[in-house]
Amino acid sequence: MRQLQMALAQGGWYQGAIDGRFGANTTQAVQAFQQQRNLPDHGIVDSTTWQHLLISLEPQGIWATIPFPTAEMITFTPLLVAQPTPPPSPLWLLLMALIPLMGGGLTYLQHRWQSRKPQG
């Protein structure tokens, strides 16, 4: 209750003694604050009333907690776009086509060589 009374006194809505009791003076101060903020003026300090009270007392304090971006805080990350691999050179394509032909030719020659050898 003392915190509520001190907050209301800081804003000028409460003029009584800060005694920590939710009496008639505190209720009237809460209602006056709620009326000024277009809140339901039931005199009950709910979460909405607390939020409005804290914001009204120190509006700059809320913005002071949010850091303003500076040049040191901002980092540049380049966007890397996937590039397709370039096609192989014509020479490579020619050599790749020759590999099966050479393998087949070598296999053929090996079979011919073995068939000419005398067996026994």
Side-chain angles (χ1 to χ4, degrees), residues 54-65:
L54 295 175
I55 290 170
S56 69
L57 294 178
E58 199 173 346
Q60 293 80 17
I62 293 170
W63 298 110
T65 60

Side-chain angles (χ1 to χ4, degrees), residues 6-81:
M6 287 189 294
L8 290 169
Q10 183 180 352
W13 296 284
Y14 182 75
Q15 284 79 29
I18 298 177
D19 55 7
R21 295 191 179 125
F22 201 94
N25 288 341
T26 307
T27 303
Q28 289 173 355
V30 170
Q31 286 175 332
F33 171 76
Q34 289 170 335
Q35 288 171 359
Q36 185 181 14
R37 296 291 172 181
N38 294 324
L39 298 171
D41 59 345
H42 44 62
I44 299 170
V45 183
D46 54 5
S47 61
T48 304
T49 303
W50 262 117
Q51 289 173 356
H52 280 269
L53 182 61
L54 295 175
I55 290 170
S56 69
L57 294 178
E58 199 173 346
Q60 293 80 17
I62 293 170
W63 298 110
T65 60
I66 301 171
F68 189 76
T70 61
E72 294 80 27
M73 294 171 66
I74 299 172
T75 58
F76 175 73
T77 305
L79 178 64
L80 300 176
V81 180

Side-chain angles (χ1 to χ4, degrees), residues 85-102:
T85 56
S89 69
L91 177 63
W92 180 255
L93 292 174
L94 179 65
L95 291 174
M96 293 305 290
L98 290 177
I99 288 175
L101 293 174
M102 289 177 58

